Amino acid sequence: DATKDFNYFHAQRVMDKYGPKLYIGDLKDREEEPANPFAAMLPDTYGELVPFGDPSWYQGWRSPYYTDSHKKFRKAIREFMDAEVTPNIGKWLEAEDIPKEVITKMAKIGFLQSCIKGVWNKEYFGDVLPGGVRPEEFNWFHFIIAITELSRGGSLGFVWATTAGINIGLAPVLNFGAKHLKDLVAADCANGRKYIALAITEPWAGSDVSALKTSAKLTPDGKHYIVNGIKKWITNGTWANYYTTAVRTGGEGMGGISLLLIDRNTPGISVKKMKCQGVLGSGTAFIVFEDVKVPVDYRIGDEGKGFKYIMKNFNTERFYIVLQALAASRLCYEDAFKYAHKRKTFGKKLIDHPVIRNKLAHMARQIEPIQSWTENTANQLNQLSASEQVKYLAGSIALMKAHSTIVFEYCTREAIQIFGGAGYTRGGQGERVERLHRDVRGVAIPGGSEEILLDLGVRQAQKLYPAVPKL
């Protein structure tokens, strides 16, 4: 019986993948695995049941937020990920090629559309949702589940490859675009038939959006814009059919920025794939616009309001990133926790060394508050108007985004320390931890760097602070 040796050198997911094909029977008098005490202590548990490895409501804790609708939704998505994604994700990422068929399958069950935002748009998304959830039931807690479960594949590259375009690129069209633009792209992109990307960042303008230089000048007849400029680090840009593009239609600063929807097939556009450290397979692109002719009625919203639209879009984008960083942090903790119960050094398991328990404790104590923060935020998103969300949540979400990526970086480092060489190797038991370590900067920088967002959070707080009365 090689069971113990096999389990010592391989993660359980290896047995889950190959075991059913190789199974021929059970040994007599084999040692039964002890039941997880969590399942006996608390009813209604779900998932791996590693303490702090999943959100507490997965482990039977009571929550005022989640209903049977959310549980059915979670179950359907986890089953999809286990069947379609997790067994294949390693080879997809090594080839840096996420099959578009996966996106189509996600859309067929309503999974893809669930990753756009916490409000269901039946006109463009359809009426099919995972687990038989009704469109009117869908809310921001379903969105949390969708991004959390999507991230459990252990690759933020996969998350961005499948959902970044619709989350950050389609949202401005849905929120601010004219009806004819929504009709042109929303249903096709939301259902995985076509793809869209948000094109804002330039070599000289990242977090400082107001410094962008890509120009859009009106033709003499006023019917078209002529676009010239460069966009860089554009996620999904290599395969996008459309670009939601920030351009300068006016003078310097934020007041001169507008948004245009640009068709990829328009003459004058050249696209080059960029090689990045992590978030593999997400189609990061370098895009050049040379005398690109765009109809005026492809402008998203009003001229000169682009900066305002981008800032409003940031709340959802940053919340989307927070959920990825949180789920990835939990994966690092979960894998390290399991490995610490298998690996032996100096005659005892790693988990029996106080220094290892200390590392796990510091990971867990930083992970859990983010969960509460995200759920509190989702509750506000369910109830506040769009203008109230911008006023009251922008600063908090900015701080949450910075905090979550700092914690994510910490958890990848500590998990790799626990895995040792196995955490430094592509493939094997530390595969997910090693991959996620390369993904850290891919979420720490987009949506605003940590330094910018920490400052923004306090500046937003200043705006909400009432004038100090005179003594």
Side-chain angles (χ1 to χ4, degrees):
D1 179 12
T3 302
K4 290 184 178 179
D5 286 339
F6 184 91
N7 288 336
Y8 189 81
F9 289 109
H10 299 281
Q12 179 60 36
R13 57 183 174 272
V14 176
M15 180 60 78
D16 292 340
K17 181 176 180 179
Y18 296 105
K21 301 175 185 176
L22 303 175
Y23 174 79
I24 58 174
D26 296 331
L27 292 172
K28 290 183 178 180
D29 303 321
R30 67 188 180 95
E31 184 179 338
E32 296 289 341
E33 292 187 9
N36 192 307
F38 255 123
M41 291 165 52
L42 296 168
D44 202 22
T45 55
Y46 189 83
E48 297 292 326
L49 300 184
V50 173
F52 309 114
D54 280 316
S56 58
W57 75 279
Y58 282 46
Q59 303 185 346
W61 288 43
R62 306 300 182 258
S63 169
Y65 302 126
Y66 299 100
T67 66
D68 287 340
S69 172
H70 298 104
K71 294 170 186 175
K72 292 187 297 182
F73 186 82
R74 174 186 63 186
K75 182 175 183 292
I77 291 180
R78 176 69 68 92
E79 289 175 351
F80 178 90
M81 290 294 295
D82 287 348
E84 301 287 346
V85 177
T86 304
N88 303 307
I89 200 164
K91 66 181 180 183
W92 291 344
L93 293 171
E94 286 302 313
E96 294 194 37
D97 183 23
I98 309 298
K100 297 300 181 288
E101 292 79 11
V102 178
I103 299 176
T104 303
K105 290 179 180 179
M106 289 175 64
K108 187 175 182 180
I109 65 169
F111 184 9
L112 185 70
Q113 301 89 319
S114 302
C115 299
I116 297 175
K117 59 179 180 178
V119 180
W120 193 266
N121 188 319
K122 190 173 180 179
E123 179 180 2
Y124 298 117
F125 299 176
D127 56 7
V128 176
L129 285 86
V133 172
R134 298 191 305 272
E136 59 270 21
E137 295 175 337
F138 187 82
N139 61 27
W140 282 97
F141 290 99
H142 292 91
F143 177 80
I144 286 179
I145 295 167
I147 303 304
T148 298
E149 290 296 323
L150 183 67
S151 303
R152 277 195 60 83
S155 163
L156 301 190
F158 178 78
V159 177
W160 286 74
T162 53
T163 63
I166 55 171
N167 181 277
I168 65 178
L170 183 59
V173 179
L174 290 171
N175 294 334
F176 311 111
K179 182 69 164 59
H180 70 275
L181 291 182
K182 296 177 187 179
D183 291 344
L184 177 67
V185 303
D188 279 345
C189 292
N191 288 278
R193 295 187 290 267
K194 290 188 177 180
Y195 311 102
I196 192 168
L198 183 67
I200 294 178
T201 304
E202 299 178 357
W204 36 74
S207 295
D208 184 10
V209 174
S210 63
L212 66 84
K213 296 182 180 181
T214 297
S215 64
K217 299 187 182 299
L218 275 174
T219 55
D221 62 7
K223 294 182 178 180
H224 294 85
Y225 289 104
I226 304 300
V227 179
N228 285 281
I230 298 171
K231 297 294 179 180
K232 194 173 184 180
W233 300 292
I234 306 305
T235 306
N236 296 178
T238 59
W239 59 69
N241 302 103
Y242 303 99
Y243 301 114
T244 298
T245 311
V247 297
R248 186 163 298 286
T249 53
E252 295 183 359
M254 60 186 70
I257 296 173
S258 300
L259 288 182
L260 297 180
L261 180 68
I262 302 180
D263 190 316
R264 165 73 170 271
N265 291 324
T266 308
I269 300 175
S270 59
V271 180
K272 181 180 179 181
K273 180 181 176 181
M274 296 180 64
K275 293 184 178 181
C276 298
Q277 178 186 52
V279 196
L280 300 180
S282 59
T284 305
F286 182 89
I287 305 172
V288 178
F289 298 97
E290 294 183 283
D291 293 330
V292 176
K293 194 174 183 180
V294 181
V296 166
D297 63 0
Y298 274 45
R299 188 183 64 231
I300 299 170
D302 298 329
E303 187 169 282
K305 296 288 184 65
F307 186 85
K308 180 180 179 181
Y309 301 150
I310 292 167
M311 292 302 108
K312 288 184 177 180
N313 198 52
F314 268 141
N315 269 358
T316 302
E317 177 182 354
R318 289 166 182 161
F319 192 53
Y320 166 74
I321 294 173
V322 168
L323 296 173
Q324 294 174 55
L326 172 58
S329 297
R330 287 196 186 277
L331 277 180
C332 290
Y333 172 89
E334 177 187 317
D335 285 1
F337 185 89
K338 289 179 177 178
Y339 187 72
H341 280 76
K342 295 198 318 185
R343 172 72 168 166
K344 290 184 178 180
T345 60
F346 304 104
K348 56 184 178 180
K349 293 179 179 179
L350 285 179
I351 196 67
D352 294 326
H353 294 281
V355 67
I356 299 300
R357 296 197 298 271
N358 184 267
K359 288 180 179 295
L360 292 167
H362 281 300
M363 293 163 72
R365 70 168 179 81
Q366 294 177 80
I367 289 169
E368 285 303 308
I370 305 174
Q371 186 72 39
S372 297
W373 203 346
T374 60
E375 292 173 346
N376 188 14
T377 301
N379 191 36
Q380 308 313 309
L381 289 168
N382 278 339
Q383 300 182 55
L384 297 179
S385 67
S387 59
E388 289 174 326
Q389 290 174 19
V390 172
K391 181 177 180 180
Y392 297 113
L393 301 183
S396 178
I397 291 176
L399 292 177
M400 180 167 49
K401 194 266 183 181
H403 179 61
S404 68
T405 56
I406 291 169
V407 172
F408 177 29
E409 182 170 25
Y410 177 88
C411 289
T412 60
R413 181 195 183 279
E414 292 302 279
I416 287 176
Q417 288 298 105
I418 292 172
F419 271 97
Y424 185 65
T425 307
R426 294 196 184 192
Q429 297 189 77
E431 176 183 16
R432 296 199 298 192
V433 170
E434 185 278 329
R435 184 192 302 139
L436 289 170
H437 181 66
R438 286 183 278 118
D439 287 346
V440 170
R441 301 261 62 85
V443 289
I445 296 171
S449 67
E450 292 164 357
E451 295 79 5
I452 295 293
L453 295 187
L454 290 169
D455 180 62
L456 174 61
V458 177
R459 286 192 288 111
Q460 289 295 112
Q462 284 181 284
K463 292 180 181 179
L464 296 175
Y465 186 68
V468 179
K470 295 181 180 179
L471 296 177

